[in-house]
Amino acid sequence: MRAFVLTAPGRYAVREVPAPVAAPGEVVVDVERVGVCGTDVEFFTGDMAYLHQGHSAYPMRLGHEWAGRVAAVGDGVDPAWFGRRVMGDTMLGCGTCRRCRRGDQHVCEKRQEVGVRGERPGALAEQLATPASSLHVLPDSVDAVLGALVEPGGNALRAARAAAPRPGDRALVLGPGTIGLLAAMFLRAAGAEVHLMGRTESSLAFARDLGFAHVYTDESIPDLPFDAVVDATNAAQLPALALELVEPAGRVVYIGLAGGPSRIDTRALVLKDVTAVGILSASPGLDATVRAYADGSVDPRPLVAATVTLEQAGPVLAGERPAGAGPGPKIHVDPRAG
């Protein structure tokens, strides 16, 4: 089969590689759509922390936001999985440690992450092998485009839930990228008055087009009480700003990761009686995200600016915008095209 292989920072090839075989407990999926994520870009540049911590190494196959159809099942897997349309959890715990037994496999110390950690090949390929236990069924109303948006959506849904908005609460999202906009959509669906802060006029204009009227740069944020602030950026200085802007007894949610340390003043956290929450993974939010997409309460389709081939994935990872791309922040790959 054809697969996108990252061989070193900035170096890649689309290669013919052996097709996967379903091991016991696993399935093989025909991949229909894959999202390109900021994590993938960090692997492309060589900046991803896992590379320096020994959790990942080149050559590697990227792709952890995916949707497809089960093409084969391994021993011990219910044959009913065959032919089902699915997406899969990125986080694959060992299944035996204390964290896994408590249902927290997404923070298992020995976890593999599809296309990210532990030599588990990703979905930028025509087929993917993955444990059947990681699968989530996609209903007919959730097509491949939406299916490949479930993983980032699960992260954003967890961030929105951590903000704990009550109807009429005012929530501020820092960063109108894919995760920030998805979090804003889930916050809006929960009844919050949503505000967004970004850096570029084009990103703010796109947010307005999605129906978010309250958008600002860091220089134009109004003096308003924000009951919750979600930091969905990679800017090291913004976690402190989130704490500064949130109302006393409010909540700050950190889902973005900076390249270097971010610092907050815990005295402000205590004296304002603020709840701070960190969000790592989509795992606990995947089923609820599928339901939200299926019932139309959240529609992330406009976020996808273009769909490209495996051969075009490298330039996208290098920062090139595909010809004719729309204004959205997300690029998808169709491994079957080209």
Side-chain angles (χ1 to χ4, degrees):
M1 69 170 184
R2 295 164 63 247
F4 180 91
V5 181
L6 186 62
T7 57
R11 300 180 62 182
Y12 60 90
V14 176
R15 294 178 175 173
E16 290 288 335
V17 301
V21 176
E26 292 189 346
V27 303
V28 170
V29 176
D30 287 334
V31 181
E32 297 176 349
R33 199 62 54 91
V34 189
V36 177
C37 172
T39 300
D40 301 322
V41 174
E42 289 186 1
F43 278 118
F44 185 85
T45 62
D47 294 331
M48 176 59 181
Y50 283 175
L51 292 168
H52 310 290
Q53 296 166 348
H55 296 308
S56 306
Y58 304 111
M60 63 185 304
R61 300 223 305 264
L62 303 174
H64 60 275
E65 304 174 1
W66 60 268
R69 189 180 295 274
V70 176
V73 299
D75 290 344
V77 176
D78 187 344
W81 278 112
F82 182 80
R84 285 186 177 177
R85 298 181 53 256
V86 296
M87 62 79 56
D89 196 345
T90 299
M91 306 300 215
L92 309 178
C94 71
T96 59
C97 71
R98 181 176 185 271
R99 295 174 192 173
C100 286
R101 294 197 307 270
R102 289 165 61 90
D104 297 326
Q105 95 287 340
H106 61 291
V107 289
C108 170
E109 185 67 27
K110 299 178 182 178
R111 70 183 180 274
Q112 295 183 322
E113 298 179 26
V114 175
V116 175
R117 169 174 165 149
E119 300 182 355
R120 170 65 70 164
L124 279 179
E126 292 176 323
Q127 290 189 315
L128 170 75
T130 194
S133 59
S134 73
L135 299 178
H136 295 257
V137 176
L138 300 177
D140 291 341
S141 56
V142 178
D143 63 8
V145 174
L146 291 176
L149 288 165
V150 171
E151 199 279 339
N155 280 280
L157 176 141
R158 291 191 65 215
R161 286 183 170 178
R166 292 167 291 189
D169 273 6
R170 184 179 290 116
L172 173 65
V173 178
L174 308 180
T178 298
I179 297 297
L181 289 171
L182 282 165
M185 290 177 175
F186 281 108
L187 286 164
R188 180 169 60 186
E193 177 187 299
V194 181
H195 298 239
L196 289 117
M197 188 196 87
R199 291 187 302 173
T200 67
E201 180 51 41
S202 59
S203 67
L204 297 178
F206 181 64
R208 290 190 196 97
D209 290 342
L210 294 176
F212 297 106
H214 308 293
V215 299
Y216 323 103
T217 65
D218 58 353
E219 297 177 349
S220 63
I221 294 179
D223 184 15
L224 293 172
F226 295 107
D227 303 294
V229 180
V230 177
D231 176 17
T233 76
N234 61 359
Q237 76 276 13
L238 290 186
L241 180 64
L243 181 56
E244 176 185 333
L245 293 174
V246 75
E247 275 285 276
R251 299 174 75 89
V252 290
V253 182
Y254 297 116
I255 191 170
L257 285 173
S262 301
R263 302 188 186 279
I264 63 171
D265 188 340
T266 57
R267 293 171 299 181
L269 191 76
V270 172
L271 293 172
K272 293 178 72 172
D273 195 28
V274 166
T275 300
V277 183
I279 301 295
L280 170 67
S281 163
S283 301
L286 293 173
D287 284 334
T289 301
V290 171
R291 290 194 296 270
Y293 292 175
D295 66 24
S297 56
V298 171
D299 179 12
R301 291 177 188 276
L303 302 185
V304 180
T307 301
V308 302
T309 66
L310 283 175
E311 286 75 12
Q312 295 169 304
V316 168
L317 288 164
E320 293 185 20
R321 196 78 173 166
K330 177 63 69 176
I331 305 297
H332 274 178
V333 179
D334 181 350
R336 305 164 302 172

